Amino acid sequence: MQSPEASTATNPTQIHLALAAFADEVVGTLARLFAYVGVLVLFAILGLAALGQLPTLRDDDPALKPGWAVAERSPPGFALSRLDSSEKTASYTILRHPEGGRRDVMRWAGEADKAMAELEIYREGGEFDVTRPAAADLAVRMGLGTATPLEQAGLIDTKFGPVALFQPTGTAEGARACLGYLKRSEEPALQISGFSCQGDSLPARRAAIACTLNRLTLLTSGNEPKLAELFAHAELKRRPCTLPGSSDWLLGAANAQLRGAL
């Protein structure tokens, strides 16, 4: 039989061991709890980041490439003078790049919200790639496949000077195809481009593009004196919108020589 003295000596040891085991269990539980909370926080951060990217992922705009972001607080830099009071206002989107580039994009939609016309003014920054063809994205913006080749379809005369037109390669004469257009400026570094599906004939679509560009006005130069100078000089050459069939807005002699693969 165990003596009372031995029993008394054993009890503190057992209590100490029990307390140590309990403490270890508490520490282990807390460690697992902190790890669980940490994982939840990580998932929450990743979820918020993913939600923040959803607008970009859902947008099919080819201009929204890595680095470009919608600048919701930037005021519009350009506008179109209205032909009449019933004319619908286009959607206006401003994109900015960390290296200084800015794109002002106006779009007009037709039935079922299908894009009927687009006008983009691209002020180039450090992100501009001089080796990339200037019309590389036109086909995609016109709703065509990335592999769809374009060919030059003549020139139109605007207040900004001659503007090159583009259409899908192999377009049949008289076919109702959208026309793309492009105008580059070195000083200031500026690119005006877009497309139009308006009009039932090629002359009508050409006239629609010429009219759009002649109505383009500058609202603010953003402390870019060369941009203000470009538009001031262009305003001196502004022409009223002309009905199809008139030849004063066409560079007829040049058109016959400007068809071919792009």
Side-chain angles (χ1 to χ4, degrees), residues 152-158 163 165 179 196 198-199 201-213 242 244 249-252 254-256 259:
Q152 293 184 359
L155 297 172
I156 54 174
D157 190 20
T158 72
V163 174
L165 300 177
L179 278 180
S196 177
Q198 299 170 306
S201 64
L202 179 61
R205 289 190 290 276
R206 294 165 63 98
I209 294 174
C211 182
T212 297
L213 295 179
T242 311
W249 53 276
L250 295 172
L251 295 181
N255 290 330
R259 290 184 62 89

Side-chain angles (χ1 to χ4, degrees), residues 58-136:
R58 290 173 181 170
D59 200 325
D60 296 329
D61 190 341
L64 288 178
K65 297 176 181 178
W68 290 97
V70 177
E72 297 180 351
R73 297 185 179 180
S74 296
F78 306 89
L80 291 187
S81 58
R82 294 184 174 223
L83 289 176
D84 57 70
S85 58
S86 63
E87 189 175 3
K88 294 182 179 179
T89 302
S91 66
Y92 199 116
T93 305
I94 300 173
L95 306 171
R96 285 189 176 275
H97 195 279
E99 296 188 38
R102 169 172 168 152
R103 297 176 185 265
D104 289 61
V105 185
M106 305 181 206
R107 291 191 182 91
W108 293 262
E111 296 180 0
D113 291 331
K114 181 180 179 181
M116 292 298 296
E118 178 186 282
L119 170 61
E120 177 186 280
I121 303 94
Y122 173 25
R123 282 180 267 183
E124 302 162 5
E127 79 290 339
F128 181 70
D129 185 1
V130 295
T131 64
R132 182 177 177 80

Side-chain angles (χ1 to χ4, degrees), residues 137-186:
D137 296 326
L138 262 183
V140 177
R141 291 163 55 190
M142 292 168 65
L144 306 173
T146 55
T148 303
L150 298 178
E151 64 180 9
Q152 293 184 359
L155 297 172
I156 54 174
D157 190 20
T158 72
K159 69 178 185 179
F160 298 102
V163 174
L165 300 177
F166 301 90
Q167 66 183 5
T169 301
T171 301
E173 199 70 32
R176 186 172 181 176
C178 300
L179 278 180
Y181 58 91
L182 177 68
K183 176 66 177 180
R184 292 244 16 233
S185 168
E186 298 296 335

